[in-house]
Amino acid sequence: MPFEKRDPHSGAKIFIPTPSERAMVKQARELKKGLEEVEAMKAELQKLLDQAKKETS
């Protein structure tokens, strides 16, 4: 649960993420980036496989 704090000027509530929440968001971003890289490699490999099939046919 994020830390709740008041803005000294406006009195509005501000929610500050905890270190564990920041770490979780960072891991999620890294995972998404890694999955995008895997998808790109998968597409490249499929392209190479299709070329190899055409050459052998």
Side-chain angles (χ1 to χ4, degrees), residues 38-56:
V38 168
E39 288 297 323
M41 284 189 260
K42 183 179 168 185
E44 185 178 342
L45 179 59
Q46 187 63 46
K47 183 179 173 183
L48 290 173
L49 286 171
D50 291 341
Q51 284 179 346
K53 285 180 183 178
K54 286 180 184 178
E55 289 176 5
T56 59

Side-chain angles (χ1 to χ4, degrees), residues 28-40:
R29 287 181 182 149
E30 289 173 355
L31 176 62
K32 184 177 178 182
K33 182 181 175 184
L35 288 174
E36 289 171 353
E37 290 175 4
V38 168
E39 288 297 323

